[in-house]
Coordinates of all heavy atoms in Angstrom, one line a residue:
L783 N 2.7 4.1 -1.4 CA 1.7 5.1 -1.8 C 1.0 5.8 -0.7 O 0.6 6.9 -0.8 CB 0.7 4.5 -2.7 CG 1.2 3.8 -4.0 CD1 0.0 3.2 -4.7 CD2 1.8 4.8 -4.9
A784 N 0.9 5.1 0.5 CA 0.3 5.7 1.6 C 0.8 5.0 2.9 O 1.2 3.8 2.9 CB -1.2 5.5 1.6
S785 N 0.9 5.8 4.0 CA 1.4 5.2 5.2 C 0.7 5.9 6.4 O 0.0 6.9 6.3 CB 2.9 5.4 5.4 OG 3.2 6.7 5.4
R786 N 0.8 5.3 7.6 CA 0.3 5.8 8.8 C 1.3 5.6 9.9 O 2.2 4.7 9.8 CB -1.0 5.1 9.3 CG -2.2 5.5 8.5 CD -3.4 4.9 9.0 NE -3.6 5.3 10.4 CZ -4.5 4.9 11.2 NH1 -5.4 4.0 10.7 NH2 -4.6 5.2 12.5
E787 N 1.2 6.4 11.0 CA 2.2 6.2 12.0 C 2.2 4.8 12.7 O 3.2 4.2 12.9 CB 1.9 7.3 13.1 CG 2.9 7.4 14.2 CD 2.7 8.5 15.1 OE1 2.5 9.7 14.7 OE2 2.6 8.2 16.3
N788 N 1.0 4.2 12.8 CA 0.9 2.9 13.5 C 1.0 1.8 12.5 O 1.1 0.6 12.9 CB -0.4 2.8 14.3 CG -1.6 2.7 13.4 OD1 -1.6 3.2 12.3 ND2 -2.7 2.2 13.9
C789 N 1.1 2.0 11.2 CA 1.3 1.0 10.2 C 1.9 1.6 9.0 O 1.2 2.2 8.2 CB -0.1 0.4 9.8 SG 0.1 -0.9 8.6
R790 N 3.2 1.5 8.9 CA 4.0 2.2 7.9 C 3.5 1.9 6.4 O 3.3 2.9 5.7 CB 5.4 1.8 7.9 CG 6.3 2.4 6.8 CD 7.7 2.6 7.1 NE 8.6 2.6 6.0 CZ 8.5 3.4 4.9 NH1 7.5 4.2 4.8 NH2 9.4 3.4 4.0
V791 N 3.2 0.7 6.1 CA 2.8 0.4 4.7 C 1.3 0.2 4.6 O 0.7 -0.8 5.0 CB 3.5 -0.9 4.2 CG1 3.1 -1.2 2.7 CG2 5.0 -0.7 4.3
Q792 N 0.6 1.3 4.2 CA -0.9 1.2 4.0 C -1.3 0.9 2.6 O -2.3 0.2 2.4 CB -1.5 2.6 4.4 CG -1.6 2.8 5.9 CD -2.6 2.0 6.6 OE1 -3.6 1.7 6.1 NE2 -2.2 1.5 7.8
M793 N -0.5 1.4 1.6 CA -0.8 1.1 0.2 C 0.5 1.1 -0.5 O 1.4 2.0 -0.3 CB -1.7 2.2 -0.3 CG -2.1 1.9 -1.8 SD -3.3 3.2 -2.4 CE -4.8 2.6 -1.8
L794 N 0.7 0.2 -1.4 CA 1.9 0.1 -2.3 C 1.6 -0.3 -3.7 O 0.5 -0.8 -4.0 CB 3.0 -0.8 -1.6 CG 2.6 -2.2 -1.2 CD1 2.4 -3.2 -2.3 CD2 3.7 -2.8 -0.3
A795 N 2.6 0.0 -4.6 CA 2.4 -0.4 -6.0 C 3.7 -0.9 -6.5 O 4.8 -0.4 -6.1 CB 2.0 0.8 -6.8
H796 N 3.6 -1.9 -7.4 CA 4.8 -2.4 -8.1 C 5.3 -1.3 -9.0 O 4.6 -0.5 -9.6 CB 4.5 -3.7 -8.8 CG 5.7 -4.4 -9.3 ND1 6.4 -4.1 -10.5 CD2 6.5 -5.4 -8.7 CE1 7.4 -4.9 -10.6 NE2 7.5 -5.7 -9.5
E797 N 6.6 -1.2 -9.2 CA 7.2 -0.1 -10.0 C 7.0 -0.3 -11.5 O 6.9 0.7 -12.2 CB 8.7 0.0 -9.7 CG 9.0 0.4 -8.3 CD 10.5 0.4 -7.9 OE1 11.3 -0.2 -8.7 OE2 10.8 1.0 -6.9
S798 N 6.8 -1.5 -12.0 CA 6.6 -1.7 -13.4 C 5.4 -2.6 -13.8 O 5.1 -2.6 -15.0 CB 7.9 -2.2 -14.0 OG 8.2 -3.5 -13.5
R799 N 4.9 -3.3 -12.9 CA 3.7 -4.2 -13.2 C 2.5 -3.6 -12.5 O 2.5 -2.9 -11.5 CB 4.0 -5.6 -12.7 CG 5.3 -6.1 -13.4 CD 5.7 -7.5 -12.9 NE 4.6 -8.4 -13.3 CZ 4.6 -9.7 -12.8 NH1 5.4 -10.1 -11.9 NH2 3.6 -10.5 -13.2
P800 N 1.3 -4.0 -13.0 CA 0.0 -3.5 -12.4 C -0.3 -4.3 -11.2 O -1.3 -5.1 -11.1 CB -1.0 -3.7 -13.5 CG -0.5 -4.9 -14.3 CD 1.1 -4.7 -14.2
I801 N 0.5 -4.2 -10.1 CA 0.3 -4.9 -8.8 C 0.2 -3.9 -7.7 O 1.1 -3.1 -7.6 CB 1.4 -6.0 -8.6 CG1 1.5 -7.0 -9.7 CG2 1.2 -6.6 -7.2 CD1 2.7 -7.9 -9.6
F802 N -0.9 -3.9 -7.0 CA -1.1 -3.0 -5.9 C -1.6 -3.7 -4.7 O -2.1 -4.8 -4.7 CB -2.2 -2.0 -6.3 CG -1.9 -1.2 -7.5 CD1 -2.2 -1.7 -8.8 CD2 -1.3 0.0 -7.4 CE1 -1.9 -1.0 -9.9 CE2 -1.0 0.7 -8.6 CZ -1.3 0.2 -9.8
G803 N -1.4 -3.1 -3.5 CA -1.8 -3.7 -2.3 C -2.2 -2.6 -1.3 O -1.7 -1.5 -1.3
T804 N -3.2 -3.0 -0.4 CA -3.6 -2.0 0.7 C -3.7 -2.8 2.0 O -4.0 -4.0 2.0 CB -5.0 -1.4 0.4 OG1 -6.0 -2.4 0.4 CG2 -5.0 -0.6 -0.9
Q805 N -3.5 -2.1 3.1 CA -3.6 -2.7 4.4 C -5.1 -2.4 4.9 O -5.6 -3.2 5.6 CB -2.6 -2.1 5.4 CG -2.8 -2.5 6.8 CD -2.6 -4.0 7.1 OE1 -1.8 -4.6 6.4 NE2 -3.2 -4.5 8.1
F806 N -5.6 -1.4 4.4 CA -7.0 -1.0 4.8 C -8.0 -1.5 3.8 O -7.7 -2.0 2.7 CB -7.1 0.5 5.0 CG -6.9 1.3 3.7 CD1 -8.0 1.7 3.0 CD2 -5.7 1.7 3.3 CE1 -7.8 2.5 1.9 CE2 -5.5 2.4 2.1 CZ -6.6 2.8 1.4
H807 N -9.3 -1.4 4.1 CA -10.4 -1.9 3.3 C -11.2 -0.7 2.8 O -12.2 -0.4 3.4 CB -11.2 -2.9 4.1 CG -10.5 -4.1 4.5 ND1 -10.5 -5.2 3.7 CD2 -9.7 -4.4 5.6 CE1 -9.7 -6.1 4.3 NE2 -9.3 -5.7 5.4
P808 N -10.9 -0.2 1.6 CA -11.7 1.0 1.1 C -13.1 0.6 0.8 O -14.0 1.4 0.9 CB -10.9 1.4 -0.1 CG -10.1 0.3 -0.5 CD -9.8 -0.5 0.7

């Protein structure tokens, strides 16, 4: 869902389940 040059995976989501993750702290 989101990426940065120094950290490719900033935010991701499961394709079919309500599971999400972030590297940063909103």
